[in-house]
Amino acid sequence: MKTLVINCGSSSLKYQLIDMNTEESLVQGLVERIGIEGSKLTQKVEGREKYVLEKEMSNHKVAIKYVLEALIDKEQGVINSMDEISAVGHRVVHGGEKYSQSVLIDEEVLQSIKDCIPLAPLHNPPNIIGIEACKELMPNTPMVAVFDTAFHQTMPKKAYICPLPYELYEEYGIRKYGFHGTSHKYVSNKVAEVLNKDIKDLKIITCHLGNGCSLAAIKNGKSIDTSMGFTPLAGVMMGTRSGNIDPSVINFLIEEQGYTIKEVDNILNKESGILGISGISSDFRDVCQEAEKGNERAKLALDIFHYKVKGQIASYAGLMGGVDVIVFTAGIGENSSLTRTECLKGLEFLGFSIDEEKNTVRGEIQEISTEDSKIKVYEIPTNEELMIARDTVALL
Ligand code: ADP
């Protein structure tokens, strides 16, 4: 049984074909610059040279058509015909309050995803375009929507209601939703499996630190709080996003300094965080390199990043009345031993100790706490695509 996983962005599309009998990823691909000059499809199959196709792809439907062709291509492909694809799992960013689980896509579900567009105006539209294009090209193949928000629907009201007039929640749905749910769910379940423990007996803090960053407090297998909020702008500092700041800054910039709302929105989403403070890059590796050379702003960016994540870990340990496992994942979390060390430094009183040698391991499942550590600390590579494929198969 082979499942195609599709993750559609506004001008890009990531895909994987996963053999669900073995959970092996057969193909990983990326289409970039959809609808822009210079469209490009890159497909990777283990043991083969990268396949690159540069052709005009004016929209997502054209892009998906090329993806399907690449999958069944005699030389570059891995399957003989599209009939071998038994289902398609789509990443959908926002499922609002309606979806606490993945769901088979029918007309009603598609409409509900459309109804969530105001909550995720940048993300849900390309997700919908991806679903509609696949439906047109593969009308008989079942499709499943897997929502970034779903895992966090278990949060209690005290965690998700914003301290604003309650009517704003009732009328407009303004509340904390949380994101990266598929990743938090995957790594928390994986660490429980690695520890050979029932997730229902564990208090876990998961730190998803990539370009976007969020943490989740997971008690008895359920997300009870998470750092992103109404949108993925909230929480800890990120590559280009500010995370939490005093909201009055927005008014100050507009009323006193003459910025437009659009400019402020752009600053908060695209010019802040690691990029904004360092003035160098949003890419963590670049900033680490500059910090090593002594660049003060680069050092400050790293300091603030680690300080914010550390504060969030401490807060979740407190809110859960303790913690059994801390997990680091995503680009920075899986690779940066510096980040893991700095985010944990000073929190040893919680009851862990770090094995600095194990902590140098990158990008694989690795315990980084010492053997006698009461609290376990792990790096676990995330695998949102596999989680999407698993949910897809489970729904069939
Ligand atoms: P996305 O949120 O786009 O999926 P990723 O999870 O791929 O992002 O994370 C990207 C971030 O991970 C970038 O800031 C990148 O610099 C950082 N990163 C990747 N490899 C390393 C590494 N070896 N050391 C430190 N940071 C790394």
Side-chain angles (χ1 to χ4, degrees), residues 14 180 208-212 282-286 288 330-332 335-336 362 384:
K14 289 188 203 153
H180 288 147
H208 178 111
L209 309 177
N211 283 316
S282 65
D283 191 288
F284 205 73
R285 283 163 296 194
D286 297 347
C288 286
I332 302 170
N335 290 300
S336 172
R362 281 179 29 199
E384 287 157 294

